[in-house]
């Protein structure tokens, strides 16, 4: 890795770089190739079908952002037959991250899970006792967004 930032946590790895010119695109591709070659040399299998490419546009004044579909112009590949297309959102360590760095998709998903669990609780339990409802809320509904991640 020459220019990119690499972050690892458990079995997740992120390679990132600030792309400000076309040369940065080739630098990122070279660093991505280096990570793939390193993993092959060390007998660590990477699931190339799980690779994801996201373009964050944090600097709206950049000249590259002025062009429409600028992230689609750049192609990154992880093998001869697998190239990466930009995604609008991805899950990173249990948090849904969107390309505009908004919390909206994550909040919406968590609220929908909690709403589904609350509907289940109300349909299964007939009692509306405050103590029982509060216990069910704390143990089932409030924990719903944290489950299945």
């Amino acid at each position: 890795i020459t220019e990119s930032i690499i972050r690892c946590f458990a079995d997740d790895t992120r390679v990132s770089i600030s792309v400000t010119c076309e040369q940065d695109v080739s630098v990122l591709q070279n660093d991505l190739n280096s990570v793939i070659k390193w993993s092959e040399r060390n007998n660590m299998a990477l699931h190339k079908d799980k690779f994801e490419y996201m373009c964050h546009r944090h600097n709206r004044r950049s000249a590259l952002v002025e062009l429409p579909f600028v992230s689609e112009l750049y192609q990154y590949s992880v093998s001869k037959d697998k190239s990466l297309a930009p995604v609008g959102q991805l899950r990173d360590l249990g948090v849904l991250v969107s390309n505009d760095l908004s919390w909206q998709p994550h909040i919406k998903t968590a609220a929908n899970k909690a709403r589904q669990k609350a509907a289940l609780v109300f349909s299964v339990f007939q009692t509306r006792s405050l103590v029982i409802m509060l216990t069910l809320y704390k143990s089932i509904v409030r924990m719903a967004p944290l489950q299945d991640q």
Side-chain angles (χ1 to χ4, degrees), residues 1 14 37 114 116 141 144:
I1 307 292
R14 295 278 182 234
K37 287 176 186 173
Q116 289 172 349
V141 177

Side-chain angles (χ1 to χ4, degrees), residues 1-141:
I1 307 292
T2 58
E3 299 290 327
S4 300
I5 298 170
I6 187 164
R7 292 184 176 97
C8 301
F9 182 80
D11 63 345
D12 288 340
T13 303
R14 295 278 182 234
V15 179
S16 60
I17 189 172
S18 177
V19 177
T20 57
C21 62
E22 289 201 34
Q23 181 182 359
D24 293 337
V25 175
S26 60
V27 167
L28 179 57
Q29 181 64 59
N30 290 337
D31 288 346
L32 188 58
N33 293 340
S34 296
V35 169
I36 293 169
K37 287 176 186 173
W38 178 88
S39 70
E40 290 169 354
R41 281 194 314 269
N42 290 288
N43 295 324
M44 295 178 65
L46 295 177
H47 299 282
K48 295 178 181 171
D49 55 329
K50 292 186 177 182
F51 278 45
E52 295 173 305
Y53 157 51
M54 179 179 284
C55 179
H56 294 287
R57 294 188 178 119
H58 68 280
N59 185 2
R60 301 260 182 226
R61 295 182 182 183
S62 172
L64 290 176
V65 177
E66 302 297 326
L67 299 172
F69 310 111
V70 70
S71 60
E72 285 82 5
L73 296 175
Y74 305 129
Q75 290 291 318
Y76 299 100
S77 61
V78 293
S79 66
K80 291 178 181 173
D81 57 341
K82 175 74 174 163
S83 61
L84 302 176
V87 295
Q89 60 188 23
L90 58 85
R91 185 168 297 281
D92 186 20
L93 301 176
V95 177
L96 200 57
V97 180
S98 64
N99 60 359
D100 64 353
L101 301 179
S102 156
W103 287 99
Q104 212 53 34
H106 182 76
I107 292 169
K108 187 176 182 179
T109 302
N112 284 339
K113 286 182 182 180
R115 190 176 300 112
Q116 289 172 349
K117 292 292 183 178
L120 177 69
V121 166
F122 279 121
S123 68
V124 172
F125 296 94
Q126 292 181 350
T127 182
R128 296 300 182 252
S129 163
L130 182 61
V131 174
I132 294 173
M133 286 284 110
L134 194 56
T135 302
L136 290 170
Y137 172 78
K138 288 179 179 178
S139 61
I140 297 174
V141 177

